[in-house]
Amino acid sequence: MATVFERIIRGEIPSVRLYEDPLCLAILDINPVKKGHSLVICKEPLATIEDVPDATLGHMMGVVKLIDRRLRAVLGCDATNIVINNGEAAGQAVPQLHIHIIPRYKTEDKRPPIPHEKYSDGEMAALGARLRLGQEEGA
Ligand code: AMP
């Protein structure tokens, strides 16, 4: 079944479009965290960063930069949260890769509403050793 974003791209569902090119579409999010909350959507219906070619991801980040600049210029926001919910367990509701750009202001709480965890003794170094790039099998 087509995702809501495929239907938006095809023009079957209305949207407020900010930018479009052959690889991506930028629109306003219909349920904004802050007014101006924008989405840069991959036109190919691929769900996660693992699925999307690096060149497309890089291109989309360039578009994110343009939207970020525009939000700052037009809304006067001081910063943005740039978020990818990369998979269902991370809260991704629409399985078509999209990057959220959320305007933020100095006057409001800047922390994301996710409770933090604490490492036990030695756990952080051990996890770092397991996650360090270049040491994985076959690298
Ligand atoms: P995610 O949870 O990362 O998959 O985010 C999906 C986002 O798409 C949510 O922030 C929704 O508010 C937004 N969304 C869903 N339907 C529409 C729509 N028709 N137009 C604009 N944004 C939408």
Side-chain angles (χ1 to χ4, degrees), residues 4-5 8 13 27-31 39 85 91-94 98 100:
V4 65
F5 293 156
I8 285 173
I13 295 178
I27 63 170
L28 285 180
D29 193 302
I30 203 170
N31 184 26
L39 302 171
N85 295 325
Q92 187 180 23
V94 182
H98 50 284
H100 296 256

Side-chain angles (χ1 to χ4, degrees):
M1 203 180 72
T3 70
V4 65
F5 293 156
E6 282 180 278
R7 301 193 60 207
I8 285 173
I9 288 162
R10 292 202 290 258
E12 294 167 9
I13 295 178
S15 65
V16 177
R17 292 175 179 239
L18 306 179
Y19 173 83
E20 182 166 12
D21 68 29
L23 294 179
C24 66
L25 171 70
I27 63 170
L28 285 180
D29 193 302
I30 203 170
N31 184 26
V33 175
K34 296 279 174 198
K35 290 176 186 173
H37 178 168
S38 304
L39 302 171
V40 174
I41 301 165
C42 178
K43 279 195 171 172
E44 269 197 272
L46 304 168
T48 69
I49 61 166
E50 189 62 33
D51 305 321
V52 175
D54 289 356
T56 304
L57 287 173
H59 174 79
M60 288 173 69
M61 281 310 293
V63 175
V64 166
K65 227 169 142 174
L66 298 176
I67 300 286
D68 170 83
R69 202 176 289 159
R70 191 85 179 139
L71 290 172
R72 289 169 192 258
V74 173
L75 300 178
C77 60
D78 302 302
T80 54
N81 286 117
I82 294 167
V83 177
I84 298 175
N85 295 325
N86 191 40
E88 197 178 347
Q92 187 180 23
V94 182
Q96 179 159 353
L97 191 86
H98 50 284
I99 306 173
H100 296 256
I101 307 131
I102 304 167
R104 301 304 299 266
Y105 300 87
K106 284 180 185 158
T107 47
E108 31 111 5
D109 189 354
K110 289 174 271 301
R111 290 167 302 168
I114 301 173
H116 291 212
E117 295 182 332
K118 284 210 184 308
Y119 290 114
S120 57
D121 279 354
E123 189 183 2
M124 190 172 171
L127 185 59
R130 287 173 57 206
L131 294 175
R132 195 158 295 125
L133 300 185
Q135 293 171 23
E136 57 272 35
E137 267 177 47

